[in-house]
Amino acid sequence: MSTVETTADAVVEELRQVVRGPLVGPDDPGYDEARKVFNGAIDRHPAAVVRVADVADVITCVDFARRHQIPLAVRGGGHHGAGFSVGDGALVIDFRGQRSTHVDPEAGTVQVDAGCTWGDVDHATGAFGMATPSGFVSTTGVAGLTLGGGTGYLTRHFGLTVDNLVSADVVLADGTFVTASATSHPDLFWALRGGGGNFGVVTSFTFACHPVGEAGEIVGGPVIYDLADTEEVFRWYRDLMPGLPDELNGWIAVMGVPSAAPFPEEMWARKVCAIVWCYSGPRERADEVLAPVREFGSPLLTGIQPMPYSVLQSAFDGLLPSGLQWYWKADFFEEIPDAAIATHRRYGERIPTPLSTMHLYPISGAAARVPEDATAFAYRRGGWNGVIAGIDPDPANLAMVTAWARDYWEDLHPTSAGGAYVNMMMDEGHERVRAAYRGNYDRLVEVKRRYDPYNLFRLNQNIAPD
C-alpha cells in the first residue's frame, strides 16, 4: 500500500472515531450500496460515506473536509442526473437517516429534515388536506429539488418550491450553524432559493403548505394523443395555457406509453403525445375549468379523475426506479414556436427506448408573478422548464439514449430562453451555470464569496467565488 493510500485510510479512520452516525469506507460492507445514486450511469468511489445522525455530525464532517482539503459531497435524495451527491475521493454527508417531518396546521407550515423525499412530505401534509409545491416524482429528494428552485404540479397555483420556503437551517463552510430566513441572513436565504448547494449544508427546511383541492384531493391525470396529432396538440396547448386559471396545471410530453397497468396493454410502448393535468382548486369549479381539456381533440385515452394529490405525485415512481441509466438535457422556454413543435414531432418519432421522453413543465401563474430578482431562480417571465431525458435500464444503451437527447437538444436549443434548470442539467460547465441565473449570477457570486470563499461546496452546479 502506498503512503498516499495509508494516509487516506488514516484520515478516514480518524473521522470514524468522531462521528455518531455510521461511516462506510471502501473496505466496509455495504460500500457499493452506499455510493449508489438514482442515476445508474454514475459510478464514483468516495473516500467515505457518513450517514449523519444529527447536526453535530454534519458540523464535524464539514470541519473535517475543510481541514483535510477533502472534496465534500452532500446527499439528500441522490436524484440529480449528474450524480453530484457522490464524488471520487470525496467525503459524502448522507442524510438518508434524517427523514422526520412536523406539520403545524395552525401556522400552515411543515418542517422537513434534509434526508426526506417529497413522498415523506406529502404523507405528512396530506393528512391535513394540504401540500407544499414540489415536483412530479415523490422519490425526489426535498433538499436538491428545493435548492434548485422546484417546479411541479402546484407551480401555477402556489409558486415554486422556493417561493414557499420560510426558513432553512444551514451549516456553513466554517462549521457555524445559522438559520436563514427573510429576517436572518437574508442574503443567504435569497441565494438558497435556487442557487443550489453552493452556500452551505441545509439540515432542515420549513415550508408554507396550502389547502389543496377537496381535503387534499385534486382532479387530474393523463390525456394521451396519437403521435400524429402532436403538432395540433402542442399548438392548442401553447395557446390555451396563458388563459387558464392558476389552479389548473398541465405538463406536455412526447413519450412512450408506460408498459404497466392501468394503461391498456395494446398501448404499451406506443409513441404518443401526452398532457398530464392537475386541477387543485375548489371541486365545484372542476368541471368548468376542465371543460376545454375534456372537449379537445380525439385522445387515445383520458385518465382525468379525482385522486389524492399524493397519488398523482407518485404516479410515475414505479416506472422510474433507482438505478436506471439516465442522460438529461434541459432548457427554459418562454414560448413554443412552430419550429419547436416540428422538432418535438420529429424526435418523438425517434424515441430510442420506451422510457426516454421530453417534458415541458409550466412556469406561469403564481410563479411568474414573482420578480426575477426576488430569489436566485431567475426565469420568471412565464413559459416552461423543458427536459429531454434519455433513459434505459441497460448500460449498453446509454450511448444511444445520450445521442438522442443531445441531438434533440441541439435542434431545440435555438428556440430556448438561453439557460436551463440546474436540477435537470448534467455537468455542463461554467457558461451553462451562468446562463441558468441570468442577471442574478453576479449577486450569487457575492454571496458565495461571503459564505464559502474557498469553494468547499463545489460538487454541484458550481458558482465559484472568483
Side-chain angles (χ1 to χ4, degrees), residues 225 236 240 244 248 277 286-297:
Y225 302 89
W236 167 78
L240 177 73
L244 292 178
L248 183 58
W277 295 100
D287 288 344
E288 173 192 352
V289 173
L290 287 163
V293 173
R294 296 184 188 277
E295 294 167 2
F296 172 75

Side-chain angles (χ1 to χ4, degrees), residues 188-220:
L188 174 62
F189 185 59
W190 176 86
L192 292 174
R193 287 177 291 161
N198 277 283
F199 309 98
V201 182
V202 179
T203 62
S204 176
F205 301 82
T206 300
F207 299 101
C209 40
H210 307 271
V212 173
E214 187 75 23
E217 190 172 80
I218 57 89
V219 181

Side-chain angles (χ1 to χ4, degrees), residues 178-189:
V178 301
T179 297
S181 69
T183 57
S184 173
H185 296 272
D187 51 348
L188 174 62
F189 185 59

Side-chain angles (χ1 to χ4, degrees), residues 198-199 430 433-434 441-449 452-458 460-466:
N198 277 283
F199 309 98
H430 172 72
V433 175
R434 176 184 281 273
Y441 184 81
D442 289 344
R443 183 178 172 187
L444 285 165
V445 172
E446 292 175 7
V447 178
K448 180 74 170 183
R449 286 172 183 157
D452 184 18
Y454 301 108
N455 207 13
L456 177 66
F457 306 116
R458 60 184 181 272
N460 46 40
Q461 301 292 3
N462 193 231
I463 297 166
D466 49 24

Side-chain angles (χ1 to χ4, degrees), residues 227 230 234 252-256 272-274 344-345 347-348 351 356-359 404 408:
L227 191 65
T230 295
F234 265 79
I252 191 166
V254 291
M255 59 185 290
V272 297
C273 173
H344 291 307
R345 166 69 186 274
Y347 281 90
I351 292 173
S356 295
T357 186
M358 185 289 307
H359 297 172
W404 173 79
Y408 194 160

